[in-house]
Amino acid sequence: MLRWALIFLVIALIAGIFGFFNIVAAAASVAKVLFFVFIVLFVISLITGRRRSM
């Protein structure tokens, strides 16, 4: 999941260099969403991992 967020971030940066504003906005928003989903899943896995080890 983090891999996809980084891919869309790179697409947004490359599109920003070339000036494709619609592509920049779309790729940046997808990267943001994927990043926050990844963070939430990471926190959930930390919490559930601690419960199992106890």
Side-chain angles (χ1 to χ4, degrees):
M1 186 94 41
L2 183 60
R3 178 179 167 202
W4 282 107
L6 292 175
I7 288 172
F8 278 104
L9 176 65
V10 169
I11 291 172
L13 291 174
I14 291 172
I17 290 170
F18 292 117
F20 301 120
F21 295 108
N22 291 335
I23 296 172
V24 172
S29 64
V30 169
K32 275 186 196 177
V33 168
L34 289 176
F35 177 75
F36 287 116
V37 167
F38 171 76
I39 293 297
V40 168
L41 290 175
F42 176 70
V43 169
I44 290 172
S45 68
L46 282 177
I47 292 170
T48 58
R50 287 192 173 186
R51 286 186 182 169
R52 289 183 188 161
S53 64
M54 294 176 113

